[in-house]
Structures are given as C-alpha cells and as structure tokens.
C-alpha cells in the first residue's frame, strides 16, 4: 500500500506535518483501479479536497515507466524520458501525485526520472512541494542519498530566483522528517550561499548543520576560506584557515594560490609566507604557480631579498621560473627603485630561447623607468615592444601617460591618449586618473575637472581612485567642506570605500584638531571592516598629541600591532614631541631608544626636541648621549641646529659646550651656526666664550693648512 504525502507549497513551520491522505491499491506497476480517487490539499488556506485527474495521472505514470525501462534497456544513463506529454497539460497537483505514486509503485529511480523531467520545465522548477514530496517519498523507500540529491536541486533552483534562504530553511526542517544533513549537503549549500555573496549566512548555516549531524570535511572549510578570500576579508579567511589546519585538513593548490595572492594583496605577506611554510610541512607540494604567487606577494611588499630566496628554493625543487615569475621580480625591483637590476633581468628574458618578455613584462619595465623619470628609456621600450610584434595595451599606455604627467609633460600625455584612440585603445578611467592626479599636483585643478568632464562625456564613470585624488586635493587646500561633499557623493554612488578615503579625511581633521570628527571616521572605517594603515594611526596619534591627549595617543600607539601596523619615525616623533611638551622626558627617552633599536632614524625635529628638553633642565649629558647614537652626518646636522636653538634662547654656555663638541667632529665650523653663537654671546656679554671658540677655530685651521702642505 502507498501513502501519498502532501506538503504545503510555502516555507514550513518549525515542524513539518506529514499526512497520509489516501491509499492506493497496487495491481501492477503504474496501474490504478478505477475506484481509486486520490485527494490533495489544494492550498495552505483551503480545507477542501480536490481530486486530481485520475486518467492523466495513470497515463503519465504508464508513459514514464515505459520510457524509463526502454532507456534502461538501451543502457542510457541517466535515462532521458520521452513522454510525448506537454508539461503545460499537467497541473502542479498531478505532478506531485505522479512522483509520489511512482516512488511507491515503481521505485525511487523511476520517480527520480520523472522528477528531473518535470523540473526541466519552468512551470515545475520552482514548485517547492514537488521537491519535498519527492524527497520524503525517497526517504520512505530508504533512499536518503537520492533524497539529498533532490534537496540539492531545490537549493540550486531557488537560489536562481532569490529564494535561497527559503529553500535552505526547508532543507534544515527536513531533519525532522529523518533526512539528517550530510557532508555533501553541507558543502553544497554553503558553496551556493557563499557564491551569491551571503558568506555570513553561510557561516551560520555551517554551524546549524554541524549541530544537526553534518560532519565538515576539508572541502567544507575550503569553501569558507575561499569565499572570504574572494571578498577580500583575509582576517576571516585566516580564522577559518587556522581552524582547518588545526583539524589536519590541507587545501588544494588552486585554493593555496588564491590564499597567497589575496593575503599578499591585502598587505599580509608575512602571514602568507607562514601559511606557505605550514602547508608545505603538512605535505602540500607547492607548484610553479604557488611559488610565483608567493614571489609576487613578497615583491609587492618590497621584500626583494626574500623573493629571490624563494626563487632559489623554487629552482632547487625542480621548477623553472617562467615569464610570469620573472615579471613579478622585475616589477618588484622597479618599485624598489632598483631599475638597472630589473633591466638586467629583463635582458636575460630577451636573450632567452624559451621565455620572451610579454606585454606585462614590458609594462613593468616601462613603469620602472617612468618612476625614475627616465622617460626617454620608457619611450624606447614602447618602440622596442612594437618592433617585437607585441601590442601595447591600455595599461601600458596609461603607465606612460602617468609618467609624463608626473614630470609635467602634459602635451606628450595628451599625444599618447590620441595615439591610444588611433590604435583602437580607448583611454579608461585609470588613464584619466593619471592625468587628473598630475594636473592636481601641479595646481591645475580646474583643468583636471575639465578633463574629467570630457571623460564622463565619453561614457566613463569616476571610480574610487578618482574620488580619492579629488578628496586629497581639496584636503591639501584645507577645503574640508568640498572634500566631504565628494566623500558623500562617493558613498551615494555605491562605490566601495577603501581605507585611503577615510585616512585622507581623518588626517585633515586631525591637522585642524577636530578630533571628534576624526574619531567618527576612524570608527566608521573599522565598522566597515577596513584595516587602518600606518598613516591612519599616525594621523590620529599626531592629532591627539597636538591637543595634549597623550593617554589616547599612547592607547592607539599600542593598538597598531592589532592591525599589523608598525610605527614609523613620524609616529614615534609625534609621541616624543607630545611627551616632551608635558615634560615626561623619561617616557620620551624610552620611546626614542626603542625607535633607534628598531633601526628607525629619528627625524631632525625629534632629535633636536628631545635634546633641547634635556638642556632646559641643565642635563647636557643626557642630550649628548642622545646625539651620540646618531651617525656622524646626522650628529653634525642636529648639533648645529641645537646650538642655534640654544643661542636663540640665550643659553650660550650650553651652546658653547655643543659647539666645541662640533669642532671635535668637524674642523669646518658652520658659518650660520658660528654667526648665531657670536651674536648671542655679544648680546649676553659673554665675550670670553667667543674668544675661546675663535682661538680654537683659528688653531684648527692652521693645523689643517700645515697637514695639507
């Protein structure tokens, strides 16, 4: 005997009710007695029972069985039904009846063949009850694996029309009907969910389905890692990847390459390298693409030495670098300013039999020469490139345009744009951005806006780089109001904001000591998932130091490492200056020593400020110790500035001590410093100090002449 299960067409409540509404006496496969009149619940709101057309149901069931067994006999797998029936002639209720009837009378595979035939038509493809009845019928036959297949089809079909969550909720509810979520279903659902951008929802489903019995495997974690990587959220990707590795799972080479490239792109090259080593230790054998991706990441970070060490390791493992590997190294060398070294590597490719420079290689080399302001060489490479039969692309031309704009050669930049049009390359927004940026840097802002207007007339739209250039320019002019208008327009245009957009505004508000506005933008950036940069933190720290709020400045200073930021000499300088203003010399001295130990060079303002503060409290020894940590050239510059500052404050006695020390380091006294010292001494009636110093200078000059002769 067969029970037909009738379910509602809409999403289920928390617990699905399964009702056997009619019984069919089976005489032979797909054959029904005339007295059998199955009934269905027509809609969620109706309590009346409507009998389906028995003759149509019998006819289709018979056609399905005949077609299925004929196709099976012909060894066609999977069988494709040829029913000779128009799908429009079947009602939704009849389709449900047929699939349930076939499952009970002819078996799961026959029912599935009709199910797949039905969902091939748009009429039934998004009819949820058909999926549910089919799945529950299969469960009743003890075929849970095929029931899972049906649920997977439902998730995919409903995702196509934006009803993914409804379908997924139904899959979860099916647990109450005996369909325990398995690993394959888990992976399928989170894959589809993450592919349409619902990654956080996918994460919640991951936890829900695991709680209901699904056991995640390597593929489950990989889907989440890849999804977050594609979103650019490497912090979440890092969290999932760490958990994955803790459980002993290893990603494949394709995912490995994505992880490395995304981590490096977002400035986490150190973490990428750690994963490279960790996964290698776990048995993953990096291939040429993996190595090249890591080399490119290290080059982008500026770690050229490490990149070449990685190259040696790659060659040692039997992989030969290709043109992409060399291009990454050439680009890295150029960005580091080592253009000639890059060119030697470029020539090695030119002379190679196997790997010739491609468009990307030439563009990287052209970019290096443009960066070095060697535009003649860049133009020569463009000509050489064309001679080799390579066609420059928009990026190649844009690189040259940018180089000429930075050098102020706008006429040549416009010529190149015309050349692009003549060769079938339309300048894109990046090309216009290069010219707009160059014009703004030369103070030709109105011309930049006119240029943009022409670009918009040609169908281009401003991107975040365009807005950032203009916002930055208005901030430089202290036109905060106009900068905010552009920022809000950027938001309304739906353009994804980056940390640079926020940092530019944070910096200008900090400069104006409007810390409330700075704090607001800083917190907004964090809420948006953006990672503050060194410049973001330094701007905030400088702002707090200007208004004397050292507590918050130091708090942010210690938070920098949370986002992988390292303080630079400007960051340290701002804090040291702030501490000096509040006479906290011990703390300032501690930061200064820490800074020097990390290999950072204090700027002249920082050096002079700290030394002068010690002089103010008559502690010349500490001031001397601070200067002694500097190399000779910096020591002389700092001492000269300090002497002039002390003279300006009429502290001529201390000035004399440093001046005599200066003469020990350099026989040639600075004329400006000497004049300032003599003037201060005369004004303070310290004639003896002038006499002693003059005698010493005269004596040193005589000795120098004798040695020369």
């Amino acid at each position: 005997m067969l029970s037909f299960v009738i379910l509602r067409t809409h999403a289920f409540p928390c617990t699905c009710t399964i009702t056997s509404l009619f019984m069919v006496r089976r005489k032979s496969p797909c054959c029904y007695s005339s007295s059998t009149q199955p009934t269905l619940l027509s809609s969620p709101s109706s309590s009346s029972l409507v009998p389906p057309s028995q003759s149509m149901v019998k006819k289709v069931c018979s056609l399905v069985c005949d077609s299925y067994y004929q196709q099976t006999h012909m060894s066609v797998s999977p069988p494709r039904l040829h029913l000779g029936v128009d799908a429009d002639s079947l009602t939704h209720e009849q389709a449900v009846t047929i699939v349930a009837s076939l499952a009970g009378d002819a078996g799961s595979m026959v029912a599935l063949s009709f199910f797949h035939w039905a969902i091939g038509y748009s009429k039934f493809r998004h009819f949820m009850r058909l999926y549910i009845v089919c799945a529950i019928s299969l469960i009743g036959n003890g075929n849970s694996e095929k029931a899972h297949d049906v649920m997977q089809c439902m998730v995919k079909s409903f995702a196509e029309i934006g009803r993914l969550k409804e379908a997924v909720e139904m899959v979860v509810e099916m647990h109450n009907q005996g369909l325990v979520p398995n690993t394959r279903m888990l992976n399928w659902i989170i894959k589809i969910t993450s592919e349409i951008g619902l990654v956080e929802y996918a994460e919640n489903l991951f936890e829900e389905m695991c709680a209901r019995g699904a056991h995640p495997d390597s593929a489950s974690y990989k889907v989440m890692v890849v999804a977050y990587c594609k979103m650019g959220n490497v912090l979440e990707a890092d969290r999932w990847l760490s958990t994955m590795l803790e459980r002993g799972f290893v990603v494949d080479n394709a995912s490995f390459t994505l992880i490395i490239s995304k981590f490096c792109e977002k400035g986490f090259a150190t973490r990428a390298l750690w994963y490279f080593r960790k996964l290698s230790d776990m048995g993953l054998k990096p291939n040429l693409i993996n190595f090249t991706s890591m080399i490119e990441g290290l080059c982008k970070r500026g770690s050229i030495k490490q990149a070449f060490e990685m190259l040696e390791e790659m060659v040692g493992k039997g992989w030969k670098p290709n043109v992409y590997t060399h291009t990454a190294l050439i680009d890295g060398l150029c960005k580091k300013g080592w253009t000639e070294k890059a060119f030697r590597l470029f020539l090695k490719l030119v002379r190679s039999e196997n790997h010739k420079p491609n468009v990307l290689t030439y563009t990287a080399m052209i970019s290096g020469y443009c960066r070095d302001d060697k535009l003649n060489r860049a133009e020569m490479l463009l000509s050489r490139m064309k001679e080799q039969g390579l066609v420059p692309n928009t990026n190649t031309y844009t690189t040259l345009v940018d180089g000429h704009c930075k050098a102020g050669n706008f006429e040549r930049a416009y010529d190149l744009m015309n050349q692009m049009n003549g060769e079938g390359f339309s300048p894109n927004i990046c090309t216009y951005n290069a010219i707009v940026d160059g014009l703004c840097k030369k103070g030709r802002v109105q011309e930049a806006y006119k240029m943009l207007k022409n670009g918009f007339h040609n169908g281009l739209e401003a991107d975040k780089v365009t807005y950032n250039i203009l916002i930055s320019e208005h901030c430089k002019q202290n036109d905060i109001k106009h900068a905010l208008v552009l920022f809000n327009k950027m938001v309304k245009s739906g353009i994804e904001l980056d940390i640079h957009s926020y940092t530019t505004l944070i910096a200008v508000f900090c400069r104006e000591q409007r810390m409330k506005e700075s704090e607001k933008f800083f917190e907004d950036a964090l809420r948006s998932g953006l990672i503050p940069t060194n410049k973001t933190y330094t701007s905030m720290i400088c702002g707090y130091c200007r208004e004397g709020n050292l507590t918050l400045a130091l708090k942010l200073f210690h938070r920098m490492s949370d986002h992988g930021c390292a303080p630079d000499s400007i960051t340290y300088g701002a804090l040291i200056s702030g501490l000096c203003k509040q006479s906290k010399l011990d703390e300032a001295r501690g930061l200064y020593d820490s800074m020097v130990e990390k290999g950072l060079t204090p700027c002249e303002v920082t050096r002079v400020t700290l030394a002068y503060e010690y002089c103010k409290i008559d502690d010349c020894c500490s001031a001397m110790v601070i200067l002694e940590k500097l190399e000779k050239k910096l020591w002389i510059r700092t001492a000269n500035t300090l002497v002039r500052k002390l003279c300006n404050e009429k502290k001529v006695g201390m000035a004399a001590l440093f001046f005599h020390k200066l003469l020990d380091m350099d026989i040639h006294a600075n004329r400006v410093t000497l004049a300032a010292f003599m003037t201060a001494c005369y004004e303070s009636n310290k004639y003896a100090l002038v006499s002693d110093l003059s005698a010493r200078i005269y004596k040193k000059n005589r000795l120098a002449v004798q040695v020369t002769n």
Side-chain angles (χ1 to χ4, degrees):
M1 306 300 287
L2 170 68
S3 296
F4 284 131
V5 181
I6 309 304
L7 304 175
R8 296 179 183 271
T9 55
H10 298 288
F12 276 24
C14 294
T15 304
C16 300
T17 305
I18 309 303
T19 311
S20 298
L21 294 178
F22 59 87
M23 306 288 285
V24 177
R25 185 178 302 277
R26 184 172 61 189
K27 295 171 66 178
S28 61
C30 302
C31 189
Y32 300 84
S33 64
S34 59
S35 62
T36 304
Q37 293 191 0
T39 55
L40 299 174
L41 188 60
S42 61
S43 72
S45 59
S46 175
S47 59
S48 62
L49 298 177
V50 182
S53 172
Q54 181 182 352
S55 60
M56 177 60 76
V57 170
K58 290 171 61 178
K59 176 184 176 182
V60 172
C61 284
S62 178
L63 289 171
V64 169
C65 290
D66 290 344
S67 180
Y68 177 86
Y69 290 117
Q70 181 182 7
Q71 296 290 340
T72 305
H73 177 71
M74 295 170 63
S75 300
V76 178
S77 181
R80 293 183 179 180
L81 299 183
H82 303 288
L83 302 184
V85 175
D86 186 357
D88 289 335
S89 64
L90 285 176
T91 66
H92 289 86
E93 305 298 339
Q94 288 170 343
V96 169
T97 304
I98 291 166
V99 77
S101 177
L102 288 170
D105 285 352
S108 299
M109 299 310 295
V110 179
L112 274 173
S113 67
F114 171 77
F115 166 78
H116 285 294
W117 175 87
I119 64 172
Y121 294 92
S122 58
K123 178 178 181 179
F124 299 114
R125 185 166 179 80
H126 305 116
F127 178 44
M128 185 174 284
R129 190 143 53 100
L130 178 63
Y131 291 90
I132 302 304
V133 169
C134 183
I136 293 181
S137 298
L138 294 172
I139 294 170
N141 286 355
N143 203 333
S144 296
E145 194 66 25
K146 293 299 179 182
H148 277 116
D149 291 342
V150 171
M151 291 291 96
Q152 287 185 201
C153 288
M154 182 179 73
V155 171
K156 183 179 179 181
S157 299
F158 279 75
E160 295 169 353
I161 58 171
R163 293 172 61 189
L164 172 73
K165 290 186 178 181
E166 182 181 344
V168 169
E169 287 168 8
M170 187 62 69
V171 171
V172 174
E173 287 296 334
M174 287 296 288
H175 188 197
N176 298 325
Q177 309 309 321
L179 190 66
V180 179
N182 60 16
T183 304
R184 187 159 59 93
M185 177 61 75
L186 167 68
N187 294 347
W188 177 259
I189 289 178
I190 61 176
K191 178 177 180 292
I192 290 181
T193 307
S194 60
E195 281 177 351
I196 61 176
L198 302 175
V199 184
E200 291 183 5
Y201 182 60
E203 186 168 339
N204 293 333
L205 286 173
F206 187 100
E207 295 173 0
E208 169 79 9
M209 295 189 74
C210 288
R212 289 177 176 267
H215 300 288
D217 60 6
S218 177
S220 314
Y221 286 97
K222 188 188 82 171
V223 169
M224 296 305 302
V225 171
V226 168
Y228 276 118
C229 278
K230 288 181 177 178
M231 281 178 61
N233 191 341
V234 295
L235 294 178
E236 284 299 313
D238 183 40
R239 179 171 65 85
W240 278 90
L241 186 54
S242 296
T243 306
M244 181 179 181
L245 298 185
E246 285 172 7
R247 301 198 173 199
F249 297 130
V250 182
V251 297
D252 55 23
N253 284 103
S255 304
F256 184 37
T257 301
L258 175 66
I259 290 163
I260 296 299
S261 61
K262 285 296 179 182
F263 272 66
C264 291
E265 179 186 318
K266 297 296 180 179
F268 291 85
T270 302
R271 189 62 172 164
L273 185 58
W274 185 87
Y275 277 122
F276 188 94
R277 299 298 180 205
K278 178 71 174 177
L279 289 164
S280 298
D281 293 341
M282 292 180 71
L284 183 70
K285 294 181 179 179
N287 58 26
L288 176 60
I289 298 174
N290 303 145
F291 273 110
T292 298
S293 182
M294 193 67 243
I295 287 169
E296 185 178 8
L298 290 169
C299 286
K300 284 181 178 177
R301 189 180 70 172
S303 303
I304 306 300
K305 183 181 177 182
Q306 277 185 287
F308 275 96
E309 288 172 354
M310 183 68 70
L311 177 67
E312 289 180 13
E313 181 182 337
M314 178 178 115
V315 173
K317 291 186 181 294
W319 297 103
K320 291 183 178 180
N322 59 18
V323 65
Y324 298 101
T325 317
H326 283 100
T327 299
L329 291 165
I330 288 168
D331 189 49
L333 287 167
C334 287
K335 286 176 179 173
K336 196 76 172 176
W338 298 337
T339 314
E340 293 310 313
K341 290 182 179 179
F343 189 64
R344 285 198 292 271
L345 189 56
F346 178 83
L347 287 177
K348 182 180 177 182
L349 272 182
V350 171
R351 294 166 185 152
S352 169
E353 293 294 330
N354 301 319
H355 302 295
K356 294 292 185 182
N358 59 17
V359 175
L360 296 175
T361 320
Y362 271 99
T363 302
M365 201 65 241
I366 288 171
S367 177
Y369 280 130
C370 287
R371 197 176 284 109
D372 283 357
D373 202 20
K374 295 178 180 178
L375 294 169
N376 289 336
R377 291 194 179 187
E379 293 276 6
M380 178 198 71
L381 278 179
L382 179 66
S383 301
R384 175 70 175 167
M385 181 179 179
K386 292 178 179 179
E387 290 171 7
Q388 297 297 314
L390 294 172
V391 180
N393 58 24
T394 304
N395 191 32
T396 313
Y397 278 110
T398 299
T399 301
L400 263 175
V401 167
D402 186 50
H404 282 291
C405 288
K406 282 182 168 59
N409 305 328
F410 292 102
E411 287 186 13
R412 177 55 182 159
Y414 292 141
D415 287 342
L416 285 166
M417 287 186 72
N418 292 331
Q419 193 174 330
M420 288 174 72
N421 286 317
E423 295 182 9
F425 296 104
S426 297
N428 59 18
I429 191 62
C430 297
T431 319
Y432 278 89
N433 286 341
I435 293 181
V436 169
D437 187 46
L439 289 169
C440 286
K441 283 183 168 61
K442 297 297 180 182
R444 297 159 64 172
V445 181
Q446 294 305 317
E447 190 177 341
Y449 272 105
K450 185 178 179 182
M451 188 71 192
L452 271 180
K453 188 176 180 181
N454 290 335
F456 298 154
H457 181 73
N458 293 329
L460 295 176
E461 293 184 0
D463 62 5
K464 65 180 176 183
V465 177
T466 318
Y467 279 104
N468 285 340
I469 290 169
L470 297 173
I471 289 170
S472 180
E473 181 58 33
H474 286 294
C475 285
K476 284 177 186 175
Q477 297 176 6
N478 231 28
D479 186 1
I480 301 177
K481 183 178 179 181
H482 204 153
L484 285 173
V485 169
L486 287 168
F487 183 88
N488 291 329
K489 188 175 180 181
M490 189 177 177
V491 174
K492 289 178 182 177
S493 300
I495 296 172
E496 182 182 358
L497 299 169
D498 60 12
I499 192 61
H500 179 71
S501 314
Y502 282 97
T503 300
T504 304
L505 288 170
I506 288 169
V508 72
F509 281 125
C510 288
R511 209 163 51 236
E512 294 296 307
Q513 296 188 32
R514 293 165 61 176
M515 294 309 297
K516 292 296 181 185
E517 286 98 328
S518 295
E519 289 167 356
K520 177 183 177 298
F521 278 101
F522 187 83
E523 293 302 325
D524 283 349
L526 292 179
R527 278 195 295 270
S528 300
L530 298 174
I531 301 171
T533 63
N534 171 280
K535 186 177 178 182
T536 318
Y537 273 110
T538 300
S539 297
M540 291 291 293
I541 289 168
C542 289
Y544 283 128
C545 287
R546 284 192 188 97
E547 69 173 19
N549 194 338
L550 285 176
T551 303
L552 287 178
L554 287 167
K555 183 179 178 181
L556 274 184
F557 177 78
H558 294 301
R559 276 180 61 186
M560 290 182 76
S561 58
D562 294 345
H563 292 109
C565 297
D568 58 16
S569 57
I570 299 173
T571 320
Y572 276 104
L575 279 171
I576 290 168
S577 178
L579 290 166
C580 286
K581 285 179 183 177
Q582 295 190 10
S583 300
K584 296 181 178 180
L585 293 187
D586 289 342
E587 292 179 50
R589 175 70 176 277
L591 281 176
Y592 184 90
D593 291 341
S594 173
M595 176 186 184
V596 174
E597 286 171 8
K598 290 180 179 178
L600 297 172
T601 302
C603 68
E604 188 170 348
V605 174
T606 304
R607 302 190 302 260
V608 173
T609 299
L610 187 55
Y612 179 71
E613 289 298 318
Y614 276 110
C615 289
K616 279 173 63 177
I617 60 173
D618 297 326
D619 188 358
C620 293
C621 292
S622 295
M624 286 287 187
V625 170
I626 288 168
L627 298 187
E628 283 172 0
K629 293 186 177 182
L630 302 171
E631 60 181 54
K632 183 178 178 180
K633 187 177 179 180
L634 292 179
W635 195 101
I636 292 171
R637 282 185 57 183
T638 309
N640 274 296
T641 306
L642 181 60
V643 168
R644 292 197 291 269
K645 187 172 179 64
L646 289 169
C647 290
N648 191 52
E649 298 295 325
K650 301 298 186 290
K651 297 181 181 294
V652 290
M654 290 184 187
L657 289 174
F658 284 99
F659 213 144
H660 281 289
K661 186 71 174 176
L662 260 174
L663 292 176
D664 291 340
M665 301 284 286
D666 186 12
I667 61 172
H668 302 293
N670 183 283
R671 291 182 180 181
V672 177
T673 306
L674 179 59
F677 178 74
M678 293 177 70
T679 301
C681 287
Y682 290 142
E683 290 176 353
S684 304
N685 298 319
K686 303 289 185 179
Y687 305 109
L689 292 177
V690 176
S691 178
D692 290 344
L693 191 65
S694 298
R696 187 174 178 196
I697 293 172
Y698 175 75
K699 185 177 179 180
K700 286 182 73 72
N701 287 338
R702 280 188 63 189
L703 287 171
V705 171
Q706 290 173 3
V707 170
T708 304
N709 294 333

